[in-house]
């Protein structure tokens, strides 16, 4: 009975974690560039009551008899499937069609994001909502105050018109990773490099390195599917309830054992 109670407790913990991940996904359903999480479980080690035996001359083999001791968390994956693209008409709203991340920050403190809502600060530099510089071959990318008709091409070239001349302000760069799922979320729509993500591989959009194309005037939406999240929430809720029944049923059986002495 004690084993079944602890198995139920392990299930409660895991389903609570799953509900936490689902709650975060739903909270970010309208967050630009957000990548949803997925919770995966695995069984814990099992206690072997009787070992397996090989077949002999006069009898067949016998399988092992094992009692599982609950479940444990296997992984919380970040799903980097692309979100849908929303047209905004704003030149500084950028979406990535394909692989890659925008690089923001400085050379000493670099972050990576799929959220492409950028702005011009008072000095004319391209920045994100937190004031981090959008990185290019030469950073920061600066647009003079008297410039007109600014545009950002699919290959990342930033141009503007000044004194009747189509001037190149800079070349945006995207970063790819050997294992994007290994990137760590650090808040603010940012990812950072981890020991398992691999080093960033910068390159031009639509270049030979397999980096995606830039789509100006659009933003990538969250890849959270509300219907899927609500379905997973129901599964997690029922799983949580079932594990509470394991605990209460085991407690009732233990109570009957205690009452035997009366």
């Amino acid at each position: 009975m004690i084993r079944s109670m602890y198995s139920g407790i392990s299930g409660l913990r895991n389903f609570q974690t799953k509900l936490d991940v689902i709650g975060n996904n739903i909270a970010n359903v309208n967050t630009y560039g957000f990548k949803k999480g997925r919770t995966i479980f695995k069984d814990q080690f099992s206690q072997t009551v009787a070992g397996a035996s090989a077949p002999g001359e006069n009898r067949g083999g016998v399988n092992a008899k094992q009692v599982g001791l609950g479940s444990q968390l296997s992984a919380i994956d970040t799903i980097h499937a692309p979100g849908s693209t929303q047209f905004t008409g704003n030149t500084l709203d950028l979406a990535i069609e394909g692989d890659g991340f925008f690089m923001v920050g400085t050379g000493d403190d670099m972050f990576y994001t799929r959220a492409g809502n950028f702005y011009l600060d008072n000095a004319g530099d391209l920045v994100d909502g937190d004031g981090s510089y959008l990185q290019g071959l030469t950073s920061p990318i600066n647009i003079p105050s008297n410039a007109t008709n600014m545009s950002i091409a699919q290959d990342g070239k930033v141009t503007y018109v000044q004194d009747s001349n189509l001037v190149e302000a800079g070349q945006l760069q995207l970063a790819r990773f050997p294992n994007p799922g290994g990137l760590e979320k650090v808040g603010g729509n940012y990812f950072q490099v981890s020991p398992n993500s691999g080093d960033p591989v910068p390159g031009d959009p639509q270049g030979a390195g397999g980096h995606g194309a830039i789509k100006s005037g659009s933003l990538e939406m969250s890849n959270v599917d509300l219907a899927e999240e609500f379905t997973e929430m129901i599964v997690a809720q029922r799983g949580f309830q079932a594990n509470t029944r394991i605990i209460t049923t085991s407690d009732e059986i233990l109570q009957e054992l205690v009452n035997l002495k009366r």
Side-chain angles (χ1 to χ4, degrees):
M1 292 302 106
I2 298 297
R3 281 186 304 199
S4 61
M5 291 184 74
Y6 281 106
S7 294
I9 291 172
S10 70
L12 291 179
R13 289 174 179 161
N14 291 331
F15 279 112
Q16 181 60 62
T17 301
K18 184 178 180 72
L19 286 170
D20 291 341
V21 172
I22 292 172
N24 183 61
N25 289 343
I26 293 175
N28 287 283
V29 68
N30 287 323
T31 301
Y32 295 126
F34 178 79
K35 300 304 177 186
K36 66 183 179 181
R38 178 182 65 183
T39 311
I40 298 177
F41 302 148
K42 62 181 178 181
D43 66 330
Q44 292 201 63
F45 59 90
S46 299
Q47 181 178 6
T48 301
V49 178
S53 62
E57 291 185 3
N58 299 318
R59 65 180 299 180
V62 178
N63 294 330
K65 300 177 179 66
Q66 294 180 299
V67 179
L69 299 177
S71 63
Q72 59 183 318
L73 191 63
S74 175
I76 301 177
D77 297 329
T78 300
I79 307 300
H80 283 277
S84 59
T85 302
Q86 180 184 29
F87 176 76
T88 65
N90 182 5
T91 301
L92 294 179
D93 287 341
L94 307 178
I96 300 175
E97 292 186 326
D99 293 339
F101 296 83
F102 296 110
M103 300 185 293
V104 296
T106 64
D108 298 328
D109 192 14
M110 192 70 67
F111 298 100
Y112 306 90
T113 183
R114 294 279 295 194
N117 50 309
F118 297 107
Y119 312 91
L120 289 176
D121 65 7
N122 188 45
D125 294 328
L126 271 175
V127 298
D128 67 6
D130 291 327
S132 297
Y133 294 116
L134 176 60
Q135 301 294 303
L137 282 175
T138 56
S139 297
I141 297 173
N142 185 271
I143 307 296
S145 59
N146 62 345
T148 59
N149 295 332
M150 175 187 173
S151 65
I152 303 175
Q154 287 189 328
D155 62 0
K157 285 186 174 62
V158 182
T159 57
Y160 60 89
V161 175
Q162 186 181 38
D163 299 330
S164 300
N165 299 315
L166 198 48
V167 179
E168 186 171 327
Q171 170 69 56
L172 293 182
Q173 292 267 282
L174 299 179
R176 296 184 69 211
F177 291 87
N179 175 27
L183 292 170
E184 293 181 356
K185 293 181 179 180
V186 292
N189 285 336
Y190 292 157
F191 293 92
Q192 70 178 8
V193 175
S194 79
N196 198 40
S197 65
D199 294 328
V201 181
D204 296 342
Q206 280 192 319
H211 300 74
I214 299 293
K215 187 172 184 180
S216 178
S218 301
L219 287 171
E220 181 182 1
M221 300 297 291
S222 165
N223 66 353
V224 173
D225 184 337
L226 275 181
E228 179 184 355
E229 296 303 320
F230 283 135
T231 301
E232 291 294 322
M233 184 188 299
I234 294 172
V235 171
Q237 179 185 10
R238 295 307 181 195
F240 192 94
Q241 289 177 335
N243 279 276
T244 62
R245 296 296 183 269
I246 293 174
I247 297 173
T248 56
T249 301
S250 298
D251 177 62
E252 290 172 359
I253 294 174
L254 288 173
Q255 184 64 43
E256 290 299 324
L257 290 174
V258 171
N259 291 337
L260 285 177
K261 70 184 185 68
R262 295 182 180 177

